Amino acid sequence: MPELEQVFQRGLEAFAELGYEAVSVRQLNARLGMGHTFIHDRYGTKEDFWKAVVRWAIEQVSTEVAATADGAEGKDDLVRLTNGVRAFHQAIARRPHLIRLIDYEAGIDSPRLTYLYEQMGQLNDAGRPQFDKLVQEGRIRDIPWYLFHFAVTKPLAMYGQEPLARMFGRPDDADDHALLSTLVLSGLLL
């Protein structure tokens, strides 16, 4: 039996590649290398399994970003915000299937989107105090929070669209998340 992380990773890949609606429980069980009743026996429904996969994937990213924030205690708010964005970009760069799943679900107004939004809430809100303070101090552009969110997250599509990025010349072993973060953050500074 695969480790729990392998089960969730394979589930994430299936949902990201095929979409929630298109992937069947039978396909999921086959990808997991489990018996045909594994998801039903362990999670109840495909939706419950999807939720467990999403919680796990977002927790992985949140843990990495939080570790960076813990190391920035007492530092300037701009340094903390910058470090958080860089850590987020780095964490997502290692998880292209998560960004693909989010991109897929973000275009459909559904209970799954609501669940994703709720799960991402803690991660999204972690940098909000620094952002608000820096805007008030006039150190970064006075933009709405939603613009900041999309300015930080949408460039990550490059990691979820690997075949297209490859066609544009991005090598498979590119280590470009720090440069991407710098470009994104440069647009926020005054």
Side-chain angles (χ1 to χ4, degrees):
M1 174 139 106
E3 298 283 328
L4 189 59
E5 283 206 11
Q6 290 176 323
V7 167
F8 286 148
Q9 181 61 39
R10 290 176 186 166
L12 178 64
E13 291 168 6
F15 287 123
E17 291 167 9
L18 302 173
Y20 177 86
E21 297 296 338
V23 70
S24 69
V25 173
R26 175 177 282 162
Q27 288 171 308
L28 287 168
N29 284 325
R31 277 194 181 219
L32 300 176
M34 308 306 252
H36 68 278
T37 63
F38 174 77
I39 289 177
H40 175 71
D41 293 345
R42 182 89 184 251
Y43 296 95
T45 67
K46 177 171 77 167
E47 180 180 358
D48 291 336
F49 179 63
W50 181 89
K51 287 179 177 180
V53 166
V54 166
R55 269 193 315 273
W56 169 80
I58 292 174
E59 180 60 33
Q60 300 298 305
V61 173
S62 295
T63 299
E64 285 188 39
V65 174
T68 299
D70 291 344
E73 283 299 317
K75 293 190 177 176
D76 178 75
D77 285 319
L78 185 57
V79 170
R80 292 175 68 202
L81 184 66
T82 299
N83 288 349
V85 168
R86 286 193 170 126
F88 178 70
H89 283 184
Q90 185 174 26
I92 292 294
R94 285 192 293 276
R95 294 169 182 83
H97 287 94
L98 176 58
I99 199 68
R100 285 178 69 185
L101 181 142
I102 291 169
D103 282 347
Y104 180 83
E105 294 294 341
I108 305 164
D109 193 5
S110 72
R112 289 188 309 280
L113 177 59
T114 300
Y115 186 81
L116 262 173
Y117 178 78
E118 290 166 355
Q119 292 300 304
M120 293 185 301
Q122 182 180 2
L123 182 59
N124 285 334
D125 294 341
R128 184 76 188 258
Q130 290 91 24
F131 172 84
D132 289 340
K133 186 176 177 189
L134 291 164
V135 166
Q136 287 176 344
E137 293 172 353
R139 295 178 65 197
I140 63 173
R141 295 188 190 284
D142 185 3
I143 61 172
W145 178 247
Y146 73 88
L147 280 180
F148 176 78
H149 168 81
F150 286 106
V152 167
T153 61
K154 288 319 292 175
L156 298 172
M158 170 176 69
Y159 302 118
Q161 299 172 7
E162 290 170 321
L164 179 61
R166 201 174 298 115
M167 288 177 178
F168 275 104
R170 182 177 186 266
D172 288 336
D173 62 349
D175 183 15
D176 48 18
H177 60 272
L179 177 57
L180 177 64
S181 299
T182 299
L183 292 171
V184 168
L185 292 165
S186 296
L188 296 172
L189 300 176
L190 293 173

